[in-house]
Amino acid sequence: MIKFVASIGRTVLAILASVGRISTYVGQTLMHMVRGPFYVKEFLQALLSIGYYSLPVVGLTAFFTGGALALQIYSGGARFSAETVVPSIVAIGMLRELGPVLGGLMVAARVASSVAAEIGTMKVTEQIDALVTLSTHPMKYLTVPRVLAATLSVPILVGVGDVIGIMGGYVVGTTRLGFNPATYLHNTVEFLEFWDVASGLVKGAAFGFIVAVMGCYYGMNSGRGAQGVGQATKSAVVASSVMILAANYLLTEAFFSA
């Protein structure tokens, strides 16, 4: 019994230690954001890699999700003779929840893994030590540009994904479910409010920050060798995904709680 309680205690302490280390890393990242120097070239490269190159996977995910959502809502609404709510629910669902969350998870799968693998490989090959030798702070050169790029680009990805997702619902609604195109668009816009759009963009910025910080943190703390880099990559994706879902609940509670 004592061994069982001790194992639980060790697990809890390990979790708290990890939370403390990540919190310290986040604080250091925010501190370095407001201090020079700022590496513009690294920022632009990260903006291209994180933002532009993530657009296809986010767009495809949003399109098929919007189409599937329209089918499901129509099927459920038909039980209550409420098929007309399909355009509004698709739009609200994509803007508030599915667009930001699925976009964040797709970016986490693509970006957190690549960032962790890249920085982890740099650590294994002692390139980070070389940066220190050249009087270049690793966090300023590696972490800050990626975090800023993700925080700025993911909301744009979410916005584009929202539009594509609503378009997916429109295509399915007008071709498969018999909706009039003009009526569908009118019902889509009529019931939307400012916070439906703004909340999704704020979530996108928060999710982008989480993804980049987790990728950089686990990359910086990668173990030696290929196994260490692989473990860092896996941990970055898992941690990013869990934190995105947790942050989504907290932000939804803050924006829309009664």
Side-chain angles (χ1 to χ4, degrees):
M1 184 64 182
I2 295 177
K3 291 182 178 180
F4 175 73
V5 174
S7 65
I8 295 177
R10 285 192 295 269
T11 302
V12 172
L13 290 175
I15 293 174
L16 292 176
S18 296
V19 171
R21 288 191 294 268
I22 293 172
S23 300
T24 301
Y25 191 85
V26 170
Q28 292 175 347
T29 300
L30 294 175
M31 179 185 68
H32 287 298
M33 280 185 179
V34 297
R35 297 180 179 179
F38 186 73
Y39 297 93
V40 178
K41 182 179 178 180
E42 290 295 315
F43 168 74
L44 294 177
Q45 289 179 346
L47 199 63
L48 185 67
S49 174
I50 296 172
Y52 181 74
Y53 292 151
S54 297
L55 184 57
V57 66
V58 172
L60 287 172
T61 301
F63 182 84
F64 290 115
T65 300
L69 186 62
L71 290 173
Q72 292 283 15
I73 294 172
Y74 184 86
S75 176
R79 302 177 187 178
F80 309 100
S81 299
E83 298 92 337
T84 56
V85 302
V86 170
S88 303
I89 301 300
V90 168
I92 293 174
M94 288 300 303
L95 290 170
R96 286 188 179 187
E97 290 295 322
L98 293 176
V101 172
L102 291 178
L105 292 176
M106 290 299 102
V107 172
R110 182 185 177 276
V111 173
S113 58
S114 65
V115 169
E118 180 183 359
I119 296 178
T121 303
M122 292 180 68
K123 181 179 179 180
V124 170
T125 57
E126 299 181 348
Q127 295 181 53
I128 294 179
D129 295 334
L131 289 176
V132 177
T133 303
L134 296 172
S135 300
T136 301
H137 199 292
M139 289 195 68
K140 290 183 179 293
Y141 188 80
L142 298 174
T143 301
V144 171
R146 288 167 173 79
V147 172
L148 279 177
T151 305
L152 294 176
S153 63
V154 174
I156 299 175
L157 288 174
V158 168
V160 174
D162 290 341
V163 174
I164 295 174
I166 293 173
M167 183 58 63
Y170 169 83
V171 170
V172 171
T174 55
T175 60
R176 295 280 298 147
L177 304 179
F179 281 89
N180 178 272
T183 302
Y184 190 101
L185 292 176
H186 178 266
N187 291 341
T188 296
V189 177
E190 183 178 7
F191 296 100
L192 292 181
E193 298 179 356
F194 170 77
W195 270 112
D196 295 331
V197 179
S199 64
L201 299 181
V202 172
K203 286 181 179 182
F207 298 164
F209 181 85
I210 289 171
V211 167
V213 167
M214 289 298 98
C216 293
Y217 170 79
Y218 283 101
M220 288 284 194
N221 293 277
S222 170
R224 294 293 179 180
Q227 185 176 2
V229 175
Q231 180 63 38
T233 302
K234 180 180 68 175
S235 299
V237 175
V238 172
S240 298
S241 301
V242 172
M243 291 183 68
I244 283 172
L245 296 176
N248 177 64
Y249 170 78
L250 295 175
L251 291 173
T252 301
E253 181 74 21
F255 291 141
F256 301 110
S257 64

